[in-house]
Amino acid sequence: MANLYVQSLHVHPVKSVAGTAPDEMAVEPWGPAGDRRWAVVDTTGAVITQRQQARLALASARPLADGRVELSGPGMPALVVEVPEPGPLEPVVLFGKKTETVVAASAAAEWFTAYLGQPARLVYLDDPAVRRPVDPDHALPGETVSLADAYPVLLTTTASLDALNALIARGDHPEEGPLPMNRFRPNLVVGGPAEAWAEDGWRRIAVGEAVFRGVRECGRCIVTTTDQRTSQRGREPLKTLARHRRIGKSLAFGRQLVPVVTGTVRVGDEVRVLE
């Protein structure tokens, strides 16, 4: 499949918060360097995402040196958050499963509590190499993941987004389209002359210095209906995915990947489908 290339790269330092689109990205065994190493949790330790708080879409986290992040959001002062010192670990709950993390400074708790209007804290995944294994039904021994939903890297293609937007235009809510790619919060966006949904069958791909194993489709949720510029929710793309892209129990868009060879990937790099 010739002439496929990296159209854009995306790193989200804080889970469910807007991130950045760098020109290059270091790929580590558990995902892009700095991606989803932080998360917001409530008083019970449950992770808060855009599923519960669509307003998170309007906040942003800019990565700084040494793992620090700078938070910003409407009506809020910018706040630089340092990586927490090693200390006692606290369990946090993501999709009903516990992961141990360390808690950031109280200033971040005050910031998110004020921003969200509910008690909230910021936590940091200190050691992704050991803290959170990938789903054993789709993993090899020892594979781990950051605080991403399930897998280290999410790939999407512009060809599939074009096809989805064409279906939305012919559906019940054409006024909601076309949707931008940021609805799907990918790490790696592939451009070029792929067929729509071709990524469903990609079992192994090479990008820049990295090689990835294709694991499974990405099941989509209510976050994809959230306008990332306004935080308003609609009905698409879930209505259209339910009609045209139901794979098992998933409303599918994108491909979940696990790195098998780490390295740097860059915008413009060739994407080679090996299997």
Side-chain angles (χ1 to χ4, degrees), residues 65-106:
D66 302 321
R68 298 175 299 150
V69 293
E70 182 181 45
L71 304 174
S72 60
M76 298 295 296
L79 176 67
V80 173
V81 184
E82 303 284 340
V83 172
E85 294 291 331
L89 299 176
E90 292 198 14
V92 303
V93 180
L94 179 58
F95 300 128
K97 297 182 179 179
K98 290 185 177 181
T99 296
E100 291 183 324
T101 68
V102 292
V103 179
S106 60

Side-chain angles (χ1 to χ4, degrees), residues 15-74:
K15 185 176 180 65
S16 258
V17 167
T20 60
D23 292 331
E24 65 178 51
M25 182 174 78
V27 177
E28 299 173 332
W30 40 84
D35 187 66
R36 296 169 171 96
R37 290 289 293 274
W38 303 82
V40 185
V41 300
D42 65 16
T43 55
T44 71
V47 174
I48 303 171
T49 73
Q50 289 185 38
R51 295 169 178 85
Q52 299 84 26
Q53 280 273 9
R55 183 170 166 78
L56 283 172
L58 306 182
S60 65
R62 182 170 67 93
L64 303 174
D66 302 321
R68 298 175 299 150
V69 293
E70 182 181 45
L71 304 174
S72 60

Side-chain angles (χ1 to χ4, degrees), residues 134-140 143 151 213 215-216 258:
V134 174
D135 181 349
D137 290 339
H138 300 279
L140 300 178
E143 290 181 337
Y151 299 92
R213 179 168 57 87
V215 178
R216 60 173 301 174
V258 175

